[in-house]
Amino acid sequence: MQFHLNGFNPGDPRFADPMDAVVAPPLKRPLPEYVDVLIVGCGPAGLNLAAQLSQFGDISVAIVDQKDDRLLVGQADGIACRTLEMFQAYGFADQVIQEACQISEAAFWKPDANHPEQIIRSGKVQDVADDLSEMPHLIINQARIHDMFLEVMRQGPGKVEPHYQRKLLGLEVDPEGGEYPVTVKLERGVNYSQYSQEIETVKARYVVGCDGARSSVRSAIGQELVGDALNQAWGVMDVLLNTDFPDIRLKSLIHSNNEGNMLIIPREGGYMARLYIELDKLKENERVARNEMTADVLIAGANRIMQPYTIDVKEVAWWSVYEIGQRITTAFDDSTPERPARVFLAGDACHTHSPKAGQGLNTSVMDTWNLGWKLAHVLTGLAEEDLLKTYSAERREYGQALIDFDREFSRMFSARPKSAEYPEGIDPAGFQRYFQLFGQYTAGVSIQYKPSVLVSDDRYQYLASGLTVGKRFHSAPVIRQGDAKPVQLGHCHTANGAYRIYAFGGSADAMSDQCGVNALCDFLANDPRSPLLRHTPAGADRDTVIDVRAVFNQPHQTLETGSIHPVLAPQKGKYGLRDYEKVFCADHRPESSGGGQNIYDLRGIHKAQGCLVIVRPDQYVADVLPLDDYTRLTALFEGLLKLQ
């Protein structure tokens, strides 16, 4: 899509008249007195958590923010491949892809050896490696992502709407407080006069602080951010511009000789670009002199760095300045040896870093993607409260890894280029190699959770070598048997809090008496040890908690619908309608017809034996098992779910 041609306008770009994209101000409503979960902060972490919990109609949720309305412009812009995989679970990935700018290549620029005061391109690299994800790396205004989360929240069974103009005054946890042990006091912004003050009190089962780097929730539970400040100042601006710089529509990383460094990110719409511009180094404990900063100062700095090229800025949509620092909170929750956690932290309240690697929003939403389904399972009685301990264990480790990565990336990006006069500088070619080496990290697909109640060991990893235990389920193309439609298998993962069991058939004919998938279905349907029978609530659809699907290596035309086991064709809903979307086959179409990618080959599935791949609600692989290892399958879910 192309837009912003005649000036920047926030909101949905599909409206011809920008005024039609204006959303009415939020309703002024009092907060409820009691909630299951109170979320503080309407940033990406908070909205993602609210969107996840809104999928459960029997969980009461309130989300508050100090702002008086939704975000309209600025802040984060990079959407990693892994984050888009998560958006697919909510159903809005396609809309983001349509609106966003896709990053396909990165260009690297360094000082010209013959004219050091000028820059010259040193190379271009592919931004996302082949088969890293079915999703691209995108750039889009964070406000649009907020809008899509808000829509999911409104449309979900829980129907969650933010309560704006709420300032946190206090938070107390009473271990003996019964069902609602957390008491939160908030000041409500009112318009009667500047001296008016209206205090609201909310009692909650759990509170989640998603309120940024200066988190009031974090302070209230006695935690703090610790780490290093790199004493570097950067400016950032979104601009509509004309330029003779040839790579303005590529992600461009520029090292100049003496004028500092710069990152150019092409923005959505085809005409706008984001510029990250290095400012002066700061002294110890020095802060940016914001009153001396203007958009013109940043533009002038960009033109010095880019010589011999220039930019002619026509409109500044947004700009800011910031100082780089890498910090992580002392704890991700308020648990003690005597009691479980009642207050959790997520997003920038847990970790802060530079924005240039595009990890801020992406890491923040992954925090609450990890926490949301766990809260839902505990609150709906599917799991014991001990499940919540895994949030801090899993996310703190990754948060520290993020800090370490960002520290090195920022050091290399901010360093002067190596030259005869400055031999201790960074080699631009080395920086380019580092960028490529950590492509999985910046794409968000490198996370591998360690063994725990949620992640088994890898003793049977050889059965599915490309679906790594502890890492996210790596999607691949398949053919849906019921309607012969080519689809991505990973898109079966919706944000409904269900586990997935993928049964990959072996060499036996599909659904025959010798078929391991058929035997598995008999076990799941009839054996008293069956996780389906033991953990599905009475009256619920069979796939509500554990969603079983099959993938066969035979061509889809060879499998008759009438032969499919009832476990893979459940009758659901008030009319008991049959589900035809549980069975898939490898894509045997020729490349000329769009095929040529067999999931068994792509993901290292054992073609003779087949296997089971168990996937958590947040799309991470919990275990890989032989098709007939019913004992280990049963034990896995016994450790995760209550008997129903």
Side-chain angles (χ1 to χ4, degrees), residues 112-296:
D112 187 338
N114 298 319
H115 303 281
E117 73 282 2
Q118 298 182 358
I119 59 172
I120 187 172
R121 187 193 296 120
S122 58
K124 292 181 180 180
V125 300
Q126 185 174 331
D127 186 69
V128 176
D130 292 337
D131 196 33
L132 195 65
S133 170
E134 80 276 16
M135 295 298 184
H137 174 200
L138 301 179
I139 304 297
I140 190 172
N141 186 348
Q142 177 180 325
R144 291 296 294 137
I145 302 302
H146 285 205
D147 286 348
M148 294 175 200
F149 276 136
L150 289 166
E151 187 172 1
V152 171
M153 291 157 55
R154 284 191 295 268
Q155 294 176 346
K159 299 180 181 178
V160 181
E161 291 273 3
H163 296 262
Y164 294 107
Q165 291 184 292
R166 267 41 178 224
K167 178 182 178 182
L168 184 71
L169 297 179
L171 181 154
E172 293 183 359
V173 180
D174 180 3
E176 307 300 324
E179 201 174 355
Y180 298 91
V182 190
T183 300
V184 182
K185 289 190 175 181
L186 303 112
E187 179 182 344
R188 180 179 183 182
V190 290
N191 299 321
Y192 309 133
S193 78
Q194 61 179 324
Y195 303 107
S196 296
Q197 187 182 48
E198 185 174 316
I199 308 299
E200 293 175 300
T201 300
V202 179
K203 289 187 174 291
R205 298 179 195 269
Y206 299 100
V207 171
V208 185
C210 305
D211 50 340
R214 296 180 176 86
S215 170
S216 298
V217 176
R218 187 183 63 237
S219 298
I221 62 173
Q223 307 299 339
E224 59 180 337
L225 290 177
V226 295
D228 303 323
L230 294 188
N231 301 318
Q232 295 171 341
W234 286 73
V236 57
M237 58 196 320
D238 290 331
V239 292
L240 295 169
L241 78 169
N242 283 326
T243 180
D244 56 352
F245 181 67
D247 292 341
I248 193 64
R249 295 307 298 171
L250 297 179
K251 180 179 180 178
S252 298
L253 301 92
I254 302 172
H255 283 90
S256 75
N257 196 38
N258 293 308
E259 297 295 343
N261 305 318
M262 182 170 160
L263 173 64
I264 297 176
I265 302 291
R267 293 299 303 263
E268 64 276 17
Y271 303 102
M272 189 163 65
R274 172 164 289 192
L275 312 179
Y276 288 100
I277 304 152
E278 186 178 24
L279 305 175
D280 294 335
K281 295 288 190 294
L282 300 174
K283 298 177 182 178
E284 186 70 26
N285 297 321
E286 184 182 7
R287 302 301 301 271
V288 171
R290 295 177 185 271
N291 59 331
E292 298 177 7
M293 287 293 166
T294 65
D296 289 339

Side-chain angles (χ1 to χ4, degrees), residues 401-464:
L402 169 67
I403 295 298
D404 296 340
F405 165 77
D406 186 65
R407 183 181 290 114
E408 179 64 10
F409 188 86
S410 295
R411 183 193 68 79
M412 296 182 76
F413 193 90
S414 300
R416 286 184 59 182
K418 187 175 184 178
S419 64
E421 297 77 21
Y422 197 73
E424 66 271 29
I426 188 70
D427 178 11
F431 179 62
Q432 181 173 328
R433 287 193 297 272
Y434 184 86
F435 178 88
Q436 292 176 285
L437 177 65
F438 283 89
Q440 285 197 11
Y441 201 98
T442 53
V445 300
S446 65
I447 299 173
Q448 184 171 6
Y449 294 132
K450 290 183 176 179
S452 68
V453 66
L454 281 167
V455 178
S456 300
D457 59 46
D458 60 355
R459 74 177 69 179
Y460 294 113
Q461 186 67 75
Y462 70 92
L463 293 173

Side-chain angles (χ1 to χ4, degrees), residues 1-10 13-16 18 239-242 249 267-273 312-315 317:
M1 293 179 68
Q2 286 185 298
F3 44 93
H4 298 326
L5 177 61
N6 296 310
F8 173 80
N9 290 285
R14 291 171 297 183
F15 285 97
V239 292
L240 295 169
L241 78 169
N242 283 326
R249 295 307 298 171
R267 293 299 303 263
E268 64 276 17
Y271 303 102
M272 189 163 65
D312 177 16
V313 174
K314 302 298 184 180
E315 181 179 327

